[in-house]
Amino acid sequence: MTPSAPPWLNRLNPQQRAAVTWGMPRGDGRVQAAPLLVIAGAGTGKTATLAHRVAWLVEQGVDPARILLITFSRRAAQEMARRAGQALAQSLDTGGVCPPAQGALQLPWAGTFHAVAARLLRLHASALGLDSGFSVLDRSDAADLLDLIRHEQGWSATRSRFPRKDTCLAIASFALNTGRPLREVLAHGWPWCLDWHDALRKLFSAYAERKQTHRVLDFDDLLLAWEAALSDPQIAAQMAARFDHILVDEYQDTNTLQAGILRALSPQGEGLMAVGDDAQSIYAFRGACIDHILSFGEQFDPPAQRITLQRNYRSVQPVLDCANALMAGSTQAYPKSLQAARGPGARPVLATVADERAQADRVIGGVLAQRETGVPLKEQAVLFRNAQHSEWLEVELTRRKIPFVKHGGLRFMDAAHVKDVLAVLRWMQQPRDALAGFRVLQCLPGMGPALAERALAVCAAHERLSAGLSQCASPPAAVAHWEALIALTRDIGPREARWRGQFDAVCDWYQPLLERRYRDGAAVRAADLQVLAAMAGHFGSREQFLTELALDPPSASGDLAGAPYRDEDYLILSTVHSAKGQEWDAVWVLNVTDGNFPNEYATGAAHSIEEERRLLYVAMTRARNTLELIEPRAFAVTHQPRLGDRHVTGARSRFLNAAVLATLEGVPSQGALNDVDPCSTPPAVPGGAAAAVADSGAAQSATEHRQSAVPRVDVAARLRSRW
């Protein structure tokens, strides 16, 4: 480290510092940096490393607006910007880029893949044949539109089982994100749908056409359109020229589309830094592929360099010894051994119990014992492979009046009243969004699907939404609401309408309908809308607000609020997938038996078993101080009397081999659970299943939008041709 190095670099360990200062400053505000892969083991300070990398680049003179920071949530991007600002505040005077009073560093191009895609597509819309005011469908709305087309094509009345809307959407999304043929996707993931191959292809083709008619894009379209845009050399050059450095978080979770987009933005890897952990690649069901991080280095000539972060700041060493032993058996991993910065601690425990009821008793006893030692319930978590694995525990927690929160369930953005209000804004933003209009109209008393469909047809013939609604006859019960809706569309409908106050105006119109539709629950639902209104005030336009909420929705109203004022304590229940990125003082992992870890449906392929190993690794590494793995001896058979005694015997997880067992306390000597050969295939156990920021400078915006009226890339045709 040179004498002029910023003082905050002293807080980093040698490997972190090497990653943060990667590259050669040129003295002209640029840093020349070859491609770099940072393998960041669990708890090794990945976020801190990325944040300090941003701060170091800015301190070397790199313009923050020329840094593309891609994360997998808006909150992650905000946290990195905040940390980068803190680091710079220690080195810069008040006249610097980010004085202490300003807090977070302003990073205009920080956000998720989808958020960045939406923004770039709007900037290049005319060259791509897109309407710059396109709406973005979230997963729920996309499934509803697909379901509407499914019904129109007669697939809701077939004599044999046709896949439901969510299954259809999952199939289409997986095929598009992995680039695999539909027949291959069905054969491997949904074999029971193979007979519907031709019907599904027809359904997906009609879905693509309908989205273009409504001028909407779903999540997959954003990536497909971005990839299509980058196929044009001129547009690709314009997009790539915006950025000097591309930093990608959670690279192990990229799918084929995302990996291809990054290669197109930086073919030689100049300025590209990928950060991730191959041992935490657990999203293959979403199309993520571990091969992208394992083969990252070979994409470039010369190959990319690799730095491995192994110093863990989260867990005690015995927990890490157990996790290290687990991953030592993996056939798909970079070599690493996590070492604790905190030092020694208690060894993890393997607890063998009679059944799931005994498992619930043991967990609750342990939770209460930890609480008596001063560990709050919020600092304790119970993790499980599948959501239904916690059912016995939830019943017992409720009976004993122990508060808990389960991560899973209905998301805040899926609540009907939230979707109603957002549908109004989406319809104002894009009058051709018939799905949003259909929902809004049916909020009115007396307005059924047939009347709503006729009204939409009339509105489609008019340029202004207010003009179209004025030509429609409202149901007698909805006259007052109808007139208010026309006035609302006249005031806030145009895209050029001022954003400030729009959300409140929509809520004022919706309030009487809210009270009429939900009665007893109206007050609680109105409070949700007040929280959402506060969030709306942080966005500069209606377009930004709707796009960001669609791309990175909060899962609960609490995600939108600040720190609570009341001291409430509750236990955390979570699937392992939802727990990724979290940490707690004490962690219990339920049902660590074969059929659950690994899941019974994953035992047919080696790569699936390896992902299940990584899933257990993620569960283990959430624990700071204490970790307990629980293996029930018996699982009750379903569809029997409530107090029936039919059961099957659990088999020890193949992942708990001799090396892993040697790191655990409480291992039974013999016979408590069937000891099985880790290489064998035991029988399955039944039931074990960025923030968008407005571009600065009017001149720059004008230049970006001054493109040829003739599209250079027909994105619409590309999206249709996929099917």
Side-chain angles (χ1 to χ4, degrees):
M1 187 173 62
T2 63
S4 60
W8 43 262
L9 281 179
N10 295 325
R11 297 199 301 265
L12 307 177
N13 64 45
Q15 291 73 33
Q16 290 175 325
R17 190 158 55 243
V20 166
T21 60
W22 178 258
M24 182 67 65
R26 291 169 39 177
D28 59 353
R30 295 178 178 270
V31 175
Q32 184 176 352
L36 178 68
L37 174 64
V38 179
I39 298 297
T44 56
K46 169 179 65 67
T47 300
T49 301
L50 269 170
H52 284 81
R53 171 65 173 175
V54 171
W56 184 80
L57 289 172
V58 173
E59 191 158 78
Q60 304 309 308
V62 176
D63 184 352
R66 298 192 62 78
I67 298 174
L68 174 59
L69 175 61
I70 296 181
T71 63
F72 273 77
S73 74
R74 179 182 68 250
R75 288 170 291 281
Q78 292 171 341
E79 174 63 12
M80 290 182 194
R82 184 186 67 81
R83 292 199 192 185
Q86 287 180 340
L88 282 170
Q90 298 180 22
S91 302
L92 302 176
D93 297 328
T94 55
V97 176
C98 184
Q102 289 187 0
L105 177 66
Q106 297 303 307
L107 297 172
W109 291 97
T112 64
F113 270 100
H114 297 92
V116 172
R119 189 171 171 206
L120 285 172
L121 292 174
R122 293 191 198 281
L123 293 176
H124 295 268
S126 60
L128 301 174
L130 294 174
D131 182 341
S132 63
F134 62 80
S135 296
V136 179
L137 293 179
D138 64 18
R139 294 292 186 191
S140 176
D141 288 331
D144 288 344
L145 180 57
L146 197 56
D147 196 36
L148 178 63
I149 302 169
R150 174 180 174 275
H151 176 72
E152 291 174 353
Q153 293 188 345
W155 302 122
S156 59
T158 55
R159 297 183 63 182
S160 58
R161 180 174 57 146
F162 190 84
R164 297 295 299 270
K165 62 178 183 179
D166 291 326
T167 302
C168 292
L169 185 63
I171 292 170
S173 181
F174 192 88
L176 293 171
N177 282 285
T178 60
R180 293 162 62 180
L182 179 59
R183 189 173 296 279
E184 179 183 333
V185 168
L186 294 176
H188 286 87
W190 294 269
W192 65 273
C193 298
L194 266 172
D195 291 343
W196 297 108
H197 172 272
D198 293 342
L200 286 170
R201 183 179 292 280
K202 180 181 178 182
L203 173 66
F204 298 153
S205 179
Y207 174 58
E209 294 275 3
R210 187 70 58 86
K211 285 183 293 183
Q212 291 181 17
T213 300
H214 294 175
R215 300 184 185 180
V216 297
L217 300 179
D218 64 16
F219 280 21
D220 302 321
D221 292 334
L222 292 171
L223 297 184
L224 289 166
W226 193 3
E227 179 197 47
L230 289 169
S231 68
D232 179 83
Q234 183 175 330
I235 296 176
Q238 291 174 356
M239 289 187 179
R242 289 179 171 274
F243 312 115
D244 293 330
H245 295 272
I246 302 175
L247 312 180
V248 188
D249 188 18
E250 304 285 11
Y251 188 76
Q252 79 278 356
D253 293 333
T254 53
N255 59 40
T256 299
L257 268 177
Q258 292 163 337
I261 286 168
L262 292 173
R263 284 195 298 271
L265 284 174
S266 183
Q268 304 304 317
E270 179 65 27
L272 177 60
M273 176 183 288
V275 181
D277 183 8
D278 53 292
Q280 297 187 69
S281 178
I282 59 174
Y283 290 108
F285 66 94
R286 294 181 184 171
C289 180
I290 192 175
D291 292 342
H292 296 146
I293 193 168
L294 294 178
S295 64
F296 180 85
E298 290 102 42
Q299 296 177 21
F300 309 102
D301 187 18
Q305 296 296 306
R306 184 173 82 241
I307 295 174
T308 303
L309 308 183
Q310 301 182 92
R311 188 160 181 78
N312 179 285
Y313 297 92
R314 173 187 301 157
S315 307
V316 294
Q317 190 60 50
V319 170
L320 299 181
D321 289 340
C322 185
N324 288 336
L326 174 68
M327 288 309 298
S330 176
T331 59
Q332 298 178 321
Y334 287 111
K336 60 175 151 326
S337 179
L338 299 179
Q339 300 299 315
R342 298 177 53 203
R347 293 180 68 185
V349 173
L350 175 63
T352 303
V353 296
D355 54 24
E356 291 178 283
R357 280 177 283 194
Q359 177 175 246
D361 287 339
R362 181 175 180 92
V363 168
I364 292 174
V367 166
L368 295 179
Q370 287 281 345
R371 180 173 176 268
E372 289 304 310
T373 66
V375 181
L377 294 179
K378 281 185 178 179
E379 294 301 327
Q380 303 182 57
V382 183
L383 308 183
F384 30 86
R385 175 62 178 81
N386 294 325
Q388 64 266 30
H389 289 179
S390 66
E391 290 176 353
W392 272 109
L393 178 61
E394 291 176 54
V395 170
E396 192 63 16
L397 287 169
T398 302
R399 189 181 71 82
R400 301 195 195 185
K401 295 181 171 57
I402 299 174
F404 65 90
V405 170
K406 184 176 180 179
H407 293 276
L410 183 67
R411 296 186 311 162
F412 175 70
M413 295 299 291
D414 290 335
H417 57 294
V418 173
K419 293 181 71 66
D420 289 344
V421 169
L422 294 180
V424 177
L425 289 171
R426 283 176 41 219
W427 199 25
M428 303 296 163
Q429 179 67 18
Q430 178 50 267
R432 289 184 178 271
D433 187 348
L435 187 65
F438 196 65
R439 184 181 189 97
V440 172
L441 291 175
Q442 290 189 90
C443 290
L444 301 173
M447 180 67 76
L451 285 177
E453 191 170 0
R454 286 200 290 271
L456 288 174
V458 173
C459 291
H462 292 78
E463 184 176 349
R464 291 275 184 172
L465 190 55
S466 56
L469 290 172
S470 299
Q471 298 301 312
C472 301
S474 71
V479 172
H481 303 295
W482 189 270
E483 294 299 327
L485 179 61
I486 294 174
L488 185 68
T489 58
R490 186 180 299 116
D491 294 338
I492 73 171
R495 291 182 187 174
E496 63 272 12
R498 186 182 180 187
W499 165 234
R500 184 179 297 277
Q502 285 192 24
F503 194 93
D504 292 336
V506 172
C507 288
D508 289 343
W509 173 79
Y510 183 69
Q511 183 65 32
L513 299 172
L514 178 72
E515 294 172 354
R516 176 182 176 276
R517 299 181 75 190
Y518 300 108
R519 294 185 174 86
D520 294 340
V524 175
R525 294 173 186 262
D528 285 342
L529 298 181
Q530 290 174 5
V531 174
L532 199 58
M535 184 183 182
H538 295 292
F539 291 84
S541 70
R542 181 171 61 197
E543 173 190 292
Q544 292 175 8
F545 175 68
L546 292 172
T547 300
E548 200 62 40
L549 250 62
L551 297 177
D552 191 16
S555 60
S557 59
D559 289 355
L560 306 177
Y565 290 102
R566 289 188 295 177
D567 183 16
E568 296 181 353
D569 202 12
Y570 46 80
L571 179 66
I572 305 298
L573 309 185
S574 176
T575 63
V576 181
H577 284 99
S578 297
K580 187 171 178 289
Q582 306 297 314
E583 57 185 70
W584 296 274
D585 285 345
V587 169
W588 285 261
V589 186
L590 304 185
N591 294 353
V592 185
T593 58
D594 241 85
N596 299 309
F597 288 100
N599 182 270
E600 57 192 312
Y601 298 112
T603 56
H607 66 85
S608 297
I609 293 176
E610 285 306 304
E611 176 153 330
E612 293 292 307
R613 181 194 302 273
R614 296 191 293 269
L615 195 65
L616 182 56
Y617 171 84
V618 169
M620 289 178 172
T621 53
R622 300 310 95 195
R624 297 191 193 106
N625 300 324
T626 61
L627 170 66
E628 184 167 308
L629 311 178
I630 308 179
E631 50 176 18
R633 289 198 301 262
F635 292 86
V637 174
T638 57
H639 305 297
Q640 63 171 319
R642 183 171 63 87
L643 299 178
D645 61 355
R646 295 176 56 209
H647 68 275
V648 293
T649 302
R652 174 158 291 162
S653 170
R654 70 192 68 190
F655 298 142
L656 301 184
N657 57 27
V660 176
L661 291 175
T663 68
L664 297 168
E665 292 283 1
V667 178
S669 56
Q670 292 205 12
L673 209 78
N674 295 340
D675 289 320
V676 295
D677 181 353
C679 297
S680 68
T681 305
V685 178
V693 180
D695 288 326
S696 59
Q700 180 182 352
S701 288
T703 301
E704 288 168 339
H705 289 83
R706 195 181 300 122
Q707 301 171 15
S708 169
V710 179
R712 293 183 55 83
V713 180
D714 192 344
V715 165
R718 293 282 188 96
L719 298 179
R720 292 194 304 272
S721 68
R722 292 285 175 166
W723 304 110

